Amino acid sequence: MSELLTPAILVGIVTSGIRLATPYLYATIGETFGQLSGVLNLGVEGIMLMGAFAAFLVTLNTGNLWLGLLAAILVGALMGLAMAFISVTLKAEQGISGIGVYLFGLGMSDLLFQKMVGHVATVSGFPSLTIPGLSQIPYLGQLFFKHNLLVYFAYLLVPVAWFVINKTTWGLKIKAVGQNPAAADSLGVSVNAVRYASVTFGGVMSGVAGASLSIGLLNVFQQNLTSGMGFIAVALVYFGGWSPWGVLGGSLLFSTVNALQNWVQVANLPIPSDFAVMMPYVLTILALVFAVRRVSQPAALTKTYDRGES
Amino acid sequence: MSLLHRLRDGTVNLYWLRSLVPFAAAGAAFLVGAVMLAALGTNPLQAYGALIQGAFGSVNSLADTIVKATPLLFVGAGICVAFRGGMINIGGEGQMVVGALAGAITALSLPTWPSWALIPLCLTAGFLGGALWGTVPGLLKAYLNVNEILTTIMMNGIAVQLMNYLLSGPIMDPVQVQQKSFIPQTAQLPDASFLPRLAPTRLNLGVGLAVVVAILVWFLLWRTTWGYRIRAVGLNPQASRRAGIRVERYAALAMILAGALAGLAGVTQVIGVNHRLFTDGSATGFTGGAGFNGIVAALFGQLHPLGSIPASVLFGALIVGANKMQRVVQVPTALITALNGLVVVFVVASEIWRRRLAAREELAHTPFEARITDQAEAGRT
């Protein structure tokens, strides 16, 4: 065991853990905003797939990564807006409509990929930015300072999201709407507007999460590229207790387990790789069990708001 | 007199209008699908025509449609129990996989048993396997309030890896091991485990079982105390508790039963259609997405097990017809996945109109004096 886990390998595992947390971070931070406002968007997986495809397609055709990212943002915004319309205006059951959005994204991204690309293709995604000086530090340099821009942005998003949620009026409104919509409404906060904005922002972030895979980390697109990451992201929001730092911890834990699982497969350990792949799911269930006891969810989560006029 | 009365105050019309809402919603989804097809440069009429012909055009295709509808009906009937009991079960895929595994292992371990004993035993194993997979999220939700949507999704992931592990090791086909080809699949199951078929089609006894199960679920939900309690818990847990119902027990039961029925979907797929279990590494490789599409069918059937019967045939037809559509107009079958997603969204979103019509209907039934009192009561609170 000791010769298998050298410092270099350990650094390698943690480094890829830090990198692989990127899609989880975007998706969970976006979903945190939506859930804090009281809307459970279970369609994250579908939006991620559509975002990943849009970014991949535009980058493949234009060679411009920023246009690709923009495409993912637009597609994410559109699907987030649709989800808001379904959940807020039409008051649909959120657990089920999210599955519809997932199936739509799963089928649509595959359909469009087959029709518009139709073959295995790769793009050159966001390149690694080696930060001069800092990247030369032994171990730490590799761990923190040799990632691509989308990775840095994702980590930057955590304190920004924390600030918005806890230190701005906007954050206060979002939380008020998610805890007690009737009270927020009586104080003149438009429940629907806040929820629309939060869910749409969540959609944008899910789109970017997809893009971070297709034009940042993997640089390909294929059917079901995200393979369940979006669902895990939704679970991580519960796990992280609806706080940006909490979801950062959850995302890192998961991505590191993922990296570890890749290593188990490569290192040919006497553990069947299927069990290694199973670990994140088992871990999520355990995490949910313990998260439930730690913090309570936004009181109005999944509850539609009716002003009671008739 | 009564009918005349109802016609006059319009409640009959409202009732029909209300049951038409999901159809209108699905129609709208297909309309969006038509626009998508047109945008892809395909004639929507030609595409849908090929789809209908592929699903119902010949005896064989009709049989295939019914074969594809079978797991949808099992899963859908289970979804009716779960949703009526207030449990959202997204775990049909995993429950199907575990049911199939349990059934396949049973059949493979008892190669000399006669059909009359082996088939019921396999079905029981599948039922119990699915039930086990529903038990974990069911108990966690009922007793610890852990979100069942998320746990059922995670249980799907665990089931797939369990299947991949078993099929590439402990229960791998010995021939695969001998020839060193290592395709992850079991040996062919003993003939005695096969569900009887209506040769030459692939139509098998599974569909009969599914219809019986749907009827039993209807009976359970609307004709037994257990079913009444499940529905009461789903509608209003607080009131149920005050009425002395053990809410946790019936909520968990709803999820366990849903898992068990999905398990039946899995085992009948193995002993009725494939006759062996194989994996492409994903759940959908085996289930064909029936664990999700069963939700679509149940919703479309208005969460009524008998309504799920025609709904399952409809969505089975979509799956079978999609292949023909792919051949004739070169539209990938992925379109059907997207279309199913749209149907879910549209049907769930259209509930708001169903509720509004129901409210108006109720109002029409309420005597005038009661309405006045109601309003007075409402004003007081």
Side-chain angles (χ1 to χ4, degrees):
Chain A
M1 192 73 189
S2 57
E3 70 274 16
L4 275 170
L5 214 57
T6 61
I9 288 177
L10 203 62
V11 168
I13 290 172
V14 179
T15 308
S16 52
I18 288 173
R19 193 167 42 230
L20 291 174
T22 308
Y24 288 126
L25 273 174
Y26 285 115
T28 49
I29 298 234
E31 179 73 7
T32 299
F33 276 86
Q35 289 196 15
L36 278 177
S37 81
V39 181
L40 167 73
N41 179 0
L42 204 60
V44 171
E45 176 89 354
I47 304 179
M48 277 178 75
L49 280 165
M50 288 298 285
F53 172 72
F56 181 79
L57 181 76
V58 170
T59 306
L60 189 68
N61 287 327
T62 64
N64 189 326
L65 288 163
W66 294 105
L67 280 180
L69 189 62
L70 186 69
I73 289 174
L74 288 178
V75 167
L78 217 61
M79 289 187 73
L81 205 60
M83 187 68 204
F85 178 69
I86 297 161
S87 317
V88 179
T89 304
L90 298 181
K91 306 183 197 305
E93 171 74 45
Q94 291 162 15
I96 309 169
S97 59
I99 291 298
V101 172
Y102 157 60
L103 287 175
F104 174 77
L106 177 70
M108 199 64 188
S109 59
D110 185 19
L111 172 72
L112 292 176
F113 177 71
Q114 288 189 43
K115 275 303 218 188
M116 298 169 86
V117 183
H119 54 89
V120 180
T122 53
V123 293
S124 48
F126 281 93
S128 290
L129 280 185
T130 308
I131 296 179
L134 291 174
S135 62
Q136 302 304 318
I137 308 170
Y139 299 134
L140 289 183
Q142 201 202 336
L143 277 175
F144 299 118
F145 303 111
K146 282 184 180 172
H147 295 294
N148 72 53
L149 258 182
L150 291 179
V151 180
Y152 294 126
F153 276 154
Y155 284 89
L156 201 64
L157 206 58
V158 177
V160 173
W162 174 84
F163 184 82
V164 172
I165 290 169
N166 294 302
K167 301 286 165 195
T168 66
T169 329
W170 254 103
L172 198 64
K173 282 182 183 170
I174 292 172
K175 284 188 289 186
V177 162
Q179 287 295 348
N180 193 339
D185 192 15
S186 69
L187 292 173
V189 177
S190 166
V191 175
N192 285 4
V194 171
R195 288 188 170 171
Y196 258 84
S198 305
V199 176
T200 307
F201 174 73
V204 168
M205 286 296 108
S206 298
V208 175
S212 76
L213 283 169
S214 68
I215 61 171
L217 298 175
L218 307 172
N219 302 330
V220 290
F221 187 83
Q222 62 184 47
Q223 192 248 351
N224 197 15
L225 179 80
T226 51
S227 62
M229 292 179 106
F231 287 119
I232 289 183
V234 177
L236 282 177
V237 175
Y238 283 74
F239 173 70
W242 296 272
S243 117
W245 296 107
V247 300
L248 169 69
S251 302
L252 272 172
L253 181 67
F254 262 78
S255 55
T256 312
V257 169
N258 272 336
L260 206 61
Q261 155 225 314
N262 290 337
W263 170 74
V264 165
Q265 289 186 36
V266 174
N268 233 341
L269 291 191
I271 309 168
S273 62
D274 305 299
F275 286 114
V277 182
M278 199 188 280
M279 281 319 294
Y281 300 108
V282 177
L283 204 63
T284 310
I285 294 180
L286 291 177
L288 285 169
V289 172
F290 291 109
V292 162
R293 308 181 151 262
R294 227 162 10 96
V295 271
S296 53
Q297 62 182 43
L301 185 58
T302 75
K303 294 193 176 65
T304 55
Y305 177 61
D306 220 321
R307 282 188 130 174
E309 309 149 328
S310 52
Chain B
M1 175 58 209
S2 152
L3 183 67
L4 203 72
H5 183 240
R6 283 169 67 190
L7 275 171
R8 202 166 44 210
D9 66 20
T11 53
V12 170
N13 283 339
L14 279 177
Y15 178 77
W16 282 107
L17 216 60
R18 191 152 65 92
S19 21
L20 282 179
V21 166
F23 292 96
F30 282 99
L31 219 58
V32 174
V35 173
M36 274 158 39
L37 281 164
L40 289 168
T42 310
N43 180 346
L45 284 179
Q46 201 192 352
Y48 283 153
L51 195 137
I52 292 169
Q53 219 232 325
F56 300 110
S58 69
V59 175
N60 258 326
S61 55
L62 190 62
D64 273 349
T65 293
I66 294 173
V67 167
K68 288 286 182 199
T70 304
L72 299 184
L73 183 51
F74 276 120
V75 175
I79 293 290
C80 292
V81 181
F83 283 20
R84 294 271 175 186
M87 286 281 198
I88 298 185
N89 177 24
I90 314 290
E93 295 276 298
Q95 293 149 3
M96 272 185 79
V97 165
V98 176
L101 279 170
I105 292 172
T106 307
L108 287 169
S109 355
L110 305 166
T112 54
W113 280 42
S115 281
W116 62 264
L118 189 53
I119 291 176
L121 202 62
C122 287
L123 292 172
T124 311
F127 184 88
L128 292 177
L132 175 73
W133 235 240
T135 303
V136 177
L139 292 181
L140 285 180
K141 168 69 178 189
Y143 291 95
L144 295 176
N145 199 26
V146 178
N147 187 309
E148 81 281 17
I149 300 174
L150 299 171
T151 47
T152 47
I153 291 170
M154 297 306 140
M155 291 301 280
N156 289 344
I158 297 173
V160 175
Q161 296 314 319
L162 187 68
M163 170 171 71
N164 291 346
Y165 165 69
L166 289 174
L167 290 186
S168 56
I171 58 168
M172 188 191 253
D173 185 356
V175 177
Q176 294 292 336
V177 182
Q178 261 172 30
Q179 298 178 342
K180 298 201 187 315
S181 42
F182 299 117
I183 296 172
Q185 60 179 29
T186 65
Q188 185 165 36
L189 305 186
D191 289 4
S193 69
F194 297 176
L195 288 177
R197 267 190 188 182
L198 192 70
T201 67
R202 299 201 296 156
L203 198 61
N204 61 73
L205 196 61
V207 65
L209 284 172
V211 172
V212 170
V213 160
I215 295 170
L216 285 177
V217 165
W218 166 80
F219 188 83
L220 169 82
L221 283 176
W222 279 280
R223 290 290 181 274
T224 67
T225 321
W226 278 22
Y228 172 78
R229 289 181 181 156
I230 288 177
R231 286 186 296 126
V233 166
L235 277 175
N236 192 336
Q238 286 83 18
S240 304
R241 194 183 305 281
R242 262 177 258 128
I245 297 176
R246 289 171 187 249
V247 172
E248 291 80 11
R249 183 179 294 180
Y250 288 93
L253 179 68
M255 183 65 99
I256 295 169
L257 268 179
L261 297 191
L264 280 182
V267 66
T268 51
Q269 179 75 15
V270 175
I271 64 175
V273 184
N274 302 337
H275 297 161
R276 62 158 33 111
L277 191 54
F278 49 84
T279 177
D280 67 349
S282 71
T284 36
F286 163 67
T287 64
F292 287 126
N293 292 333
I295 304 176
V296 189
L299 282 176
F300 195 65
Q302 306 189 13
L303 292 183
H304 195 293
L306 302 183
S308 303
I309 298 174
S312 301
V313 175
L314 173 70
F315 289 100
L318 281 184
I319 298 165
V320 175
N323 291 317
K324 175 93 173 178
M325 188 179 72
Q326 181 162 24
R327 282 197 301 277
V328 175
V329 293
Q330 284 83 46
V331 174
T333 52
L335 175 79
I336 297 304
T337 309
L339 209 53
N340 279 352
L342 283 179
V343 172
V344 175
V345 169
F346 279 50
V347 170
V348 185
S350 71
E351 275 293 307
I352 190 171
W353 287 287
R354 241 162 63 83
R355 277 198 302 268
R356 275 184 196 166
L357 286 171
R360 268 174 62 183
E361 194 181 325
E362 205 172 288
L363 199 66
H365 275 302
T366 318
F368 183 69
E369 298 80 3
R371 268 187 252 169
I372 299 286
T373 352
D374 275 357
Q375 276 171 6
E377 297 257 325
R380 221 178 292 146
T381 50

